[in-house]
Amino acid sequence: MAVQLLEEKLTCAICLGLYQDPVTLPCGHNFCGACIRDWWDRCGKACPECREPFPDGAELRRNVALSGVLEVVHAGPARDPGPDPGPGPAARCPRHGRPMELFCRTEGRCVCSVCTVHECRLHERALLDAERLKRQAQLRASLEVTQQQATQAEGQLLELQKQRSQIQNSACILASWVSGKFSSLLQALEMQHTAALRSVDVAKTRVLAQVRDEEQRLRGHLEAVARHGCRIQELLEQVDEQTFLQESQLLQPPGPLGPLTPLQWDEDQQLGDLKQLLSRLCGLLLEEGGHPGAPAKPVDLGPMDYRNLTFDPISANRHFYLSRQDQQVKHCRQSQGPGRPGRFELWQVQCTQSFQAGHHYWEVRASDHSVTLGVSYPQLSRCRVGPHTDNIGRGPCSWGLCVQGDSLQAWHNGQAQRLPGVSGRLLGMDLDLASGCLTFYSLEPQTQPLYTFHALFNQPLTPVFWLLEGRTLTLCHQPGAVFPPGPQEGVLS
């Protein structure tokens, strides 16, 4: 009876045979792996017993505990490793030759009726079937617990694998960020090293020129004093009184020497400027919120920070058409004129204005994606080199944000960082030269920071743009904003 009950519990409801490679559905029912897959192919993904749908994307998992029970059943009846083997249907007591129909719980062995009168008279006893049912209930409870533990362990394993993947991705991003940050710092240090040595050399040259001028003045005065002394000596040796009196009254002494001009050489000033630059460099590295996972700071503009900019027609590619008083540019298929010095051979145009100090903000509206916004130093090449149609961010002297249909790419020094795309076409650029930050914003449907570059900007920066054929860029003007200076006025500070 007990064996029949066990076989019923181990029977697949589809094939009506013992489970083969049993799997468990989320509802708790078990089936042969092949049977349930065949059933789903014919009848849809649901439990054949309770009709609960099987979640999309979920995977069938092997029932480890049930598979272990089936292995024991297929291998034959389990045997107690103790001294007394478990009795079969016709097992008899080795001492009294009678059938063993009882179980002595005190000694943990099967016994006959004679044993209960003699050896096990005072022991706790039970019928074999009753003891088996009790043990089966205990095993089923233990099996359920182990199944729950297996499910819990699998869930924890998946969570641990997910955390491992997240940590690996985070570490990769951090390593890339650290490498980029130190690369920028090393480059900035090298540039500042060169600039500091040049500054010292210029100051030395200026002071030494001042020294040479003072030396020439002093030597000239010495020569005049010497000539005057010689003339006096000659007059003192003159014997003719009339000649002596006439020439002595005409003799004029050299003018006063005057004090030395203070030399314009200040070591403290030279070191002070250098310390300030190094302090800014360290600030760029350790700036709070500067790591890649931190959100960019929201734009905080004063009334004088917004800039109304214009495109520089001299720099515009020959396929670019400028309109609205150089406030709008469109990339046309037809050439707008022959090439001339100063034009970009690349599909680019820069603004007439540039910035060397202060805080500046401007906005650009794009007709579609496939445009790049950025800033560059004056030495940005106008010539096309290689297959690229732009060079914004391809080298160390420019920074750019490329807006694609499905993503953004932040470019500097030939390295790109991929970012999620944005739906808006109104974009803002915030340049804070004092803190060394260049931040890009998406302004539609709501304002959100996109990316921030941190660098020690030590040359004038000019806004520069790239746009694909058919695209249009418009520089947004605001009433009351500071209008940019003309080309002849140089750098806006």
Side-chain angles (χ1 to χ4, degrees):
M1 176 181 178
V3 174
Q4 182 181 1
L5 180 60
L6 179 61
E7 289 181 353
E8 289 178 359
K9 294 298 183 180
L10 300 177
T11 299
C12 176
I14 299 177
C15 66
L16 302 180
L18 290 179
Y19 289 122
Q20 299 291 331
D21 188 23
V23 295
T24 302
L25 301 188
C27 60
H29 293 114
N30 303 302
F31 304 92
C32 299
C35 293
I36 190 62
R37 292 185 180 90
D38 180 69
W39 176 275
W40 285 350
D41 291 338
R42 294 183 285 105
C43 304
K45 280 195 172 184
C47 177
E49 292 193 30
C50 66
R51 302 301 178 183
E52 179 176 333
F54 189 77
D56 292 335
E59 296 180 0
L60 286 172
R61 297 193 176 276
R62 180 170 173 262
N63 191 320
V64 180
L66 196 55
S67 298
V69 174
L70 287 167
E71 290 175 2
V72 174
V73 171
H74 287 303
R79 294 191 177 272
D80 190 348
D84 294 332
R92 292 183 176 274
C93 178
R95 295 184 181 182
H96 308 106
R98 292 179 177 275
M100 291 188 290
E101 300 173 344
L102 300 171
F103 183 78
C104 178
R105 290 177 176 172
T106 303
E107 296 185 2
R109 63 185 181 90
C110 297
V111 296
C112 66
S113 58
V114 178
C115 294
T116 61
V117 176
H118 298 285
E119 294 91 347
C120 303
R121 182 170 58 87
L122 300 178
H123 294 174
E124 183 182 0
R125 294 157 294 176
L127 294 174
L128 290 180
D129 289 347
E131 186 65 22
R132 182 183 180 89
L133 291 175
K134 178 182 176 182
R135 296 290 180 91
Q136 285 178 341
Q138 292 175 348
L139 289 175
R140 289 192 183 94
S142 177
L143 178 61
E144 184 177 354
V145 171
T146 56
Q147 288 177 340
Q148 293 176 353
Q149 291 176 349
T151 302
Q152 182 181 7
E154 290 176 353
Q156 291 178 351
L157 180 61
L158 290 176
E159 179 64 23
L160 187 63
Q161 292 173 346
K162 179 180 178 181
Q163 292 179 0
R164 179 183 63 184
S165 177
Q166 292 175 346
I167 291 173
Q168 289 175 339
N169 293 336
S170 177
C172 182
I173 294 174
L174 283 175
S176 176
W177 179 83
V178 169
S179 297
K181 179 66 71 174
F182 274 94
S183 176
S184 299
L185 284 172
L186 289 174
Q187 178 187 353
L189 280 171
E190 184 62 31
M191 295 174 64
Q192 289 306 319
H193 176 218
T194 303
L197 292 179
R198 186 186 305 114
S199 175
V200 171
D201 189 65
V202 169
K204 179 192 72 173
T205 302
R206 182 179 62 251
V207 173
L208 292 181
Q210 184 182 3
V211 170
R212 286 193 299 270
D213 292 342
E214 284 295 291
E215 287 179 346
Q216 291 178 0
R217 182 177 70 85
L218 292 175
R219 287 194 179 96
H221 188 80
L222 287 174
E223 291 175 357
V225 169
R227 288 195 300 269
H228 184 71
C230 292
R231 184 57 181 159
I232 291 176
Q233 189 65 35
E234 292 175 356
L235 289 176
L236 292 175
E237 295 175 356
Q238 179 62 250
V239 296
D240 182 49
E241 286 80 0
Q242 184 177 359
T243 302
F244 172 80
L245 293 174
Q246 289 178 350
E247 293 185 3
S248 61
Q249 67 182 0
L250 297 176
L251 184 64
Q252 296 293 331
L257 178 60
L260 282 174
T261 303
L263 299 180
Q264 302 298 319
W265 176 255
D266 189 346
E267 293 182 355
D268 292 336
Q269 181 180 359
Q270 296 288 330
L271 293 177
D273 294 342
L274 183 60
K275 290 177 181 178
Q276 183 179 4
L277 288 171
L278 293 177
S279 176
R280 290 179 60 190
L281 280 173
C282 294
L284 291 177
L285 176 63
L286 303 176
E287 181 180 14
E288 182 179 0
H291 59 84
K297 297 179 180 178
V299 61
D300 183 16
L301 300 174
M304 301 298 290
D305 293 329
Y306 195 97
R307 305 303 180 204
N308 290 337
L309 305 181
T310 54
F311 293 113
D312 178 17
I314 298 177
S315 69
N317 179 273
R318 61 191 184 92
H319 290 277
F320 284 6
Y321 173 72
L322 271 62
S323 60
R324 294 175 56 180
Q325 297 181 344
D326 297 334
Q327 186 182 343
Q328 187 176 84
V329 61
K330 181 176 182 180
H331 188 167
C332 304
R333 179 182 297 270
Q334 184 177 0
S335 174
Q336 302 301 308
R340 61 172 180 262
R343 276 190 185 272
F344 275 109
E345 294 181 6
L346 304 149
W347 294 346
Q348 294 177 185
V349 62
Q350 69 179 27
C351 285
T352 305
Q353 300 76 25
S354 60
F355 310 100
Q356 192 169 13
H359 188 191
H360 313 278
Y361 175 81
W362 62 95
E363 295 177 357
V364 181
R365 181 173 293 278
S367 62
D368 206 342
H369 60 79
S370 299
V371 298
T372 299
L373 293 69
V375 295
S376 73
Y377 288 153
Q379 62 266 33
L380 183 67
S381 175
R382 306 294 176 98
C383 301
R384 178 171 180 171
V385 179
H388 300 295
T389 59
D390 78 301
N391 62 357
I392 303 175
R394 305 282 182 179
C397 67
S398 59
W399 296 258
L401 185 75
C402 181
V403 182
Q404 300 294 340
D406 58 347
S407 67
L408 303 172
Q409 291 182 353
W411 279 90
H412 175 60
N413 203 18
Q415 297 182 349
Q417 181 167 342
R418 192 176 181 88
L419 308 167
V422 293
S423 58
R425 295 288 175 256
L426 181 60
L427 302 168
M429 297 178 64
D430 181 61
L431 176 62
D432 189 348
L433 290 160
S435 61
C437 295
L438 172 64
T439 303
F440 295 86
Y441 292 89
S442 173
L443 306 176
E444 292 179 344
Q446 59 186 6
T447 301
Q448 61 174 353
L450 301 177
Y451 191 79
T452 298
F453 287 104
H454 298 274
L456 183 65
F457 302 117
N458 52 16
Q459 297 184 49
L461 289 171
T462 303
V464 61
F465 307 90
W466 172 89
L467 55 158
L468 193 65
E469 182 180 335
R471 301 322 192 240
T472 300
L473 286 177
T474 303
L475 293 168
C476 301
H477 287 190
Q478 285 191 2
V482 176
F483 200 81
Q488 74 278 4
E489 294 184 57
V491 176
L492 176 66
S493 60

